[in-house]
Amino acid sequence: MPVRHLVLFVPCLVLPVLAGPNLLPDGGFEQGTWELTTWMPCRATHELAGPAHAGEKAVHLVGIEAKPENLNVLAISQPFKVQGGREYLVSVWYRTAGAPGAMLGWSAFREPFATAKWKTPSAQYENDPLPNSDIWWLGTWRLRAGDQAVEACLLVRLGGVGEVWYDDAGVVEVVPDALRLSDPPLFEGPGRVTLRAAVKLPAETGWTVAVLGGETAAEQVGKGTGEAQLSFAAGAGDGLQLVLTGDPDGGVVAALPLTVPPPLEIEVVKPRYRQTIFATSPDRELRVLLRLNATPAVLQKTRSKVTETTGTGGSSVLGPGVGAPPGASLTLTIKAPGRTRIQVSATGPLGELATETAFTVLPRGTPHEVYVDDQQRLRVDGKPFFARGFYGVPDEPAHFTHIAEAGYNTVLTYNRDPAWQKTWLDHAAEAGLMGVVSVPFEPGKLDADKLRAGIGLVKGSPGLLGYYLIDEPSPARPGQSPQDLQAVYDAVVAEDPYHPVTICIDQPALEGLYTACSDILMIDPYVVLDRRRPLSHVADRMEHAWSAVAGRQAVINIPQTFGWDVIEGLDKPPSYLTPTPDEMRSLWYLALAGGARGMLAYCYHVYTRYDPAKKAAGGWPWTLGGYLPDKQPVLWGTLKQLGQETQALEPWLMADGQGRGRVGEVQERRFELRDGKLHLDLPPRGTAAVLIK
């Protein structure tokens, strides 16, 4: 992540971050009420000490070594009251040294925290990473409290080797439409940017709108409802924050993260997936928007030129302007494989500008072409494919048969041995299944030649659906940053452009970080816990995931099909519980109603014993005792029904224009097959039923 080196100094923002009502107790850390602790055994220190951003004390966390386990050092606030479903703005000033994996955490509860401390039923648990900053920087995080939340604790964290200081933290309920961007950052001259923002506060409330992150100061004051127009020095790619502070004491009311766009850019409309057209693509049209991100005065004096270079026999038509002149849309119809490059140049008050983008048209892939279309559906050889299946399937033909007969079509393996994967894929294909294989690399130890050789061994397998990049990465862990994984993704795609790369993300705030190094986002919203989350958490995660990918990727849900309550030898009560049939059906259909483009359940294998001594010695403590059909027969019976029902629903799930939406208050509702029809009760409100034939 980028290190912050420049900051715009805004006098009002050196005060405590939030004005009343600041819900967070002791946000300045001066009273010493926060709990400083580590959640894993590691070499680390924590203290309340200076230098502080304001006052005398700050939280100072130091990660020395991730041994014997990962670094997980944190300070935990006293609980504070929240209302489920409301939006909150979390703010904190922080600075870093090294790569400490600075992160904010939010833990919300369905009952007062005093009820059972950390055993209080959970409503929500999320984390949000903060970029490294060698100066004091304002970190902000806007999130929605879980539907049943009544109290929450804020966590400030360290997850890597380095140091982080936190000070002046706070939580405030979001004021609707308090700050809205009227005009995005636009260039008014070389290196000079302007923007407009609308402010909506009570009539007598004074306010200041300011920019953090530009090279020169910019702020404007006002009262009540009004507008701010700011002009400042900045360059393309600069990360900014637009911050609204309000009277009486300058606390933050709203904050909008912004990135200064390039003066001239090409926005790809289609195809979005890798900017690539496949031989089996139903749509062979390329479309882009050409944008000059400048003020009207600059636009009027700018002349642009578009050059298309193609050896494909394609034809181009320059359409009418889409944005302010001289913006335009460009459409190309492609007839043959090859590369098409679009170059745009412009001359005017901003000087000589140029940019370009390229598209690829691939020859027919064999034995299959697998890709994501512009409605975020998987396609195999041009036909929509709804992936449904399981993690953790062994290379045993009987299990492939069980899974196929239950209505499933996809399996996933963690095994990274390409030779083993090839045999596994062959056996899966014989049963009519397709497989997702783990990319053969270790985080932080990329051997590009070995990786390419491994991909080369499996890429021609008839049963290959795609690649699994990594499970639940964290930017704080070595080799798991988006930049690290980008190199792995690029190597995989260069060797095999005909299969997508998937990634599993467990924290909502991380979903948007890894979109450049994956093609399919997989999320695992496990809810059946000893500290139960509401089943509606599944719907919340689906909604958040679609927002994070912004129409650029497919989203696949990973339903929970395991529980530690069947494991012997645990040294503490089981954290995860086996879903009941009603719970299983509800969380499954909540994901489908949320627009899932696939369902790959974790997991098919069943652990039956845990050995704490092996864990203490650094070994693998879990004993594989069998698989769902024999070890979890009740759950497997429900999953067989769900597989067959989902198979029957596939034409509807994959239909053109199939929408998605938040399910609302559905918790543990039954979904039944009656008279040969599937009856789904999926109301956005109330009890309106939907009948799907």
Side-chain angles (χ1 to χ4, degrees):
M1 286 187 174
V3 175
R4 308 285 188 187
H5 293 291
L6 297 174
V7 65
L8 169 64
F9 177 73
V10 183
C12 67
L13 293 179
V14 301
L15 297 172
V17 168
L18 294 171
N22 181 2
L23 304 176
L24 186 68
D26 191 18
F29 306 106
E30 301 297 325
Q31 300 169 26
T33 62
W34 289 59
E35 177 188 358
L36 276 65
T37 185
T38 57
W39 275 358
M40 288 186 176
C42 56
R43 293 186 60 205
T45 64
H46 44 65
E47 62 178 346
L48 281 174
H53 175 257
E56 300 295 326
K57 297 178 182 178
V59 168
H60 181 210
L61 308 178
V62 181
I64 301 170
E65 188 177 19
K67 288 185 178 180
E69 297 191 32
N70 292 330
L71 287 158
N72 193 350
V73 191
L74 62 162
I76 306 168
S77 78
Q78 294 295 305
F80 51 92
K81 293 187 181 300
V82 296
Q83 294 188 51
R86 298 283 183 90
E87 283 195 301
Y88 294 89
L89 179 68
V90 179
S91 303
V92 68
W93 286 93
Y94 73 99
R95 66 182 182 92
T96 63
M103 189 174 295
L104 294 171
W106 172 279
S107 188
F109 310 94
R110 290 189 282 162
E111 299 174 8
F113 183 72
T115 303
K117 300 298 182 182
W118 288 103
K119 292 296 182 182
T120 305
S122 174
Q124 182 183 20
Y125 179 73
E126 296 185 24
N127 291 293
D128 184 49
L130 299 169
N132 292 333
S133 174
D134 56 8
I135 57 172
W136 283 106
W137 183 254
L138 178 65
T140 60
W141 181 21
R142 180 168 170 165
L143 79 164
R144 178 180 173 276
D147 285 338
Q148 299 183 31
V150 297
E151 282 192 347
C153 292
L154 183 67
L155 293 67
V156 294
R157 313 183 64 165
L158 172 143
V161 176
E163 299 179 72
V164 59
W165 292 260
Y166 293 102
D167 201 4
D168 297 328
V171 177
V172 66
E173 187 173 337
V174 169
V175 179
D177 298 321
L179 180 64
R180 180 174 53 82
L181 202 61
S182 303
D183 285 335
L186 298 173
F187 283 89
E188 58 183 358
R192 194 77 190 173
V193 173
T194 184
L195 60 80
R196 289 192 307 129
V199 178
K200 186 178 180 181
L201 290 177
E204 298 305 315
T205 302
W207 48 259
T208 301
V209 174
V211 172
L212 287 177
E215 299 173 12
T216 59
E219 67 174 58
Q220 184 172 329
V221 299
K223 183 178 290 188
T225 297
E227 186 174 79
Q229 182 159 356
L230 305 177
S231 177
F232 50 94
D238 283 357
L240 312 174
Q241 281 200 80
L242 188 65
V243 180
L244 171 66
T245 59
D247 289 345
D249 57 359
V252 171
V253 177
L256 298 176
L258 303 171
T259 300
V260 178
L264 183 64
E265 66 177 337
I266 303 173
E267 178 187 344
V268 177
V269 178
K270 66 176 184 178
R272 295 177 176 180
Y273 178 77
R274 299 181 184 170
Q275 298 185 199
T276 297
I277 290 179
F278 295 81
T280 59
S281 297
D283 185 352
R284 303 186 62 76
E285 190 175 79
L286 310 180
R287 187 176 300 163
V288 298
L289 298 180
L290 313 179
R291 298 190 184 282
L292 185 64
N293 296 304
T295 62
V298 172
L299 287 172
Q300 290 175 2
K301 300 177 182 178
T302 300
R303 297 292 177 265
S304 63
K305 178 183 178 182
V306 179
T307 304
E308 174 216 346
T309 304
T310 175
T312 66
S315 61
S316 64
V317 178
L318 196 59
V322 172
S329 67
L330 180 66
T331 300
L332 304 175
T333 302
I334 302 301
K335 298 180 179 179
R339 293 276 285 177
T340 296
R341 186 172 62 171
I342 299 172
Q343 298 171 300
V344 183
S345 59
T347 303
L350 301 182
E352 299 289 333
L353 304 174
T355 189
E356 66 177 58
T357 191
F359 296 87
T360 301
V361 179
L362 290 174
R364 181 66 163 91
T366 56
H368 296 298
E369 297 182 335
V370 185
Y371 50 92
V372 179
D373 69 16
D374 286 334
Q375 294 192 48
Q376 300 82 51
R377 299 169 297 192
L378 269 172
R379 285 184 180 266
V380 178
D381 296 332
K383 298 179 180 179
F385 182 88
F386 189 89
R388 52 189 185 277
F390 297 91
Y391 277 66
V393 178
D395 186 16
E396 297 177 19
H399 288 293
F400 291 130
T401 301
H402 288 323
I403 290 168
E405 289 177 346
Y408 296 95
N409 60 13
T410 304
V411 289
L412 184 150
T413 180
Y414 284 123
N415 193 308
R416 291 180 176 173
D417 178 2
W420 184 95
Q421 291 175 349
K422 189 175 187 304
T423 302
W424 181 82
L425 286 168
D426 290 342
H427 290 161
E430 290 170 2
L433 302 173
M434 300 198 76
V436 180
V437 299
S438 293
V439 175
F441 87 107
E442 292 184 36
K445 301 178 181 179
L446 175 60
D447 183 330
D449 292 337
K450 184 178 179 180
L451 172 62
R452 285 191 291 268
I455 298 299
L457 190 62
V458 300
K459 69 181 183 182
S461 299
L464 179 63
L465 183 67
Y467 301 99
Y468 191 63
L469 180 60
I470 194 170
D471 191 68
E472 299 180 350
S474 168
R477 300 186 195 123
Q480 295 187 15
S481 72
Q483 294 82 0
D484 293 326
L485 296 181
Q486 183 72 54
V488 182
Y489 172 84
D490 290 344
V492 173
V493 173
E495 181 64 29
D496 181 6
Y498 292 101
H499 294 92
V501 177
T502 69
I503 193 170
C504 172
I505 302 295
D506 62 332
Q507 294 292 326
L510 302 181
E511 291 167 355
L513 289 182
Y514 291 91
T515 54
C517 56
S518 61
D519 303 308
I520 298 172
L521 171 62
M522 301 173 66
I523 61 171
D524 51 359
Y526 303 146
V527 296
V528 188
L529 314 173
D530 61 338
R531 296 171 54 228
R532 283 186 57 94
R533 292 173 178 165
L535 296 185
S536 59
H537 178 67
V538 175
D540 293 340
R541 283 293 308 274
M542 289 300 303
E543 186 176 34
H544 190 282
W546 281 117
S547 176
V549 301
R552 298 283 173 177
Q553 294 188 340
V555 177
I556 289 179
N557 186 268
I558 306 172
Q560 177 184 346
T561 57
F562 71 98
W564 290 0
D565 45 345
V566 300
I567 297 176
E568 298 179 354
L570 292 175
D571 52 0
K572 58 183 179 181
S575 302
Y576 299 93
L577 306 178
T578 303
T580 67
D582 281 351
E583 290 169 341
M584 190 72 249
R585 297 181 68 79
S586 293
L587 62 89
W588 190 277
Y589 279 106
L590 284 166
L592 291 184
R597 295 298 191 254
M599 302 286 283
L600 292 183
Y602 182 87
C603 51
Y604 185 73
H605 60 249
V606 179
Y607 292 119
T608 56
R609 180 171 290 277
Y610 178 85
D611 188 340
K614 287 185 179 179
K615 176 71 172 178
W620 181 252
W622 307 95
T623 299
L624 179 62
Y627 300 92
L628 286 173
D630 57 317
K631 293 299 180 181
Q632 292 275 31
V634 174
L635 179 59
W636 179 246
T638 301
L639 290 167
K640 287 174 66 176
Q641 294 174 341
L642 288 169
Q644 293 160 3
E645 292 166 12
T646 308
Q647 183 179 27
L649 284 171
E650 183 168 2
W652 176 75
L653 294 169
M654 292 282 97
D656 287 346
Q658 176 57 41
R660 57 183 182 268
R662 183 171 162 73
V663 180
E665 303 303 320
V666 178
Q667 295 294 315
E668 296 184 19
R669 212 174 286 279
R670 288 180 179 272
F671 301 85
E672 299 178 330
L673 277 172
R674 300 193 306 273
D675 304 322
K677 299 175 182 177
L678 181 64
H679 296 251
L680 307 183
D681 191 4
L682 302 176
R685 299 181 185 85
T687 57
V690 176
L691 174 63
I692 299 174
K693 297 181 180 180

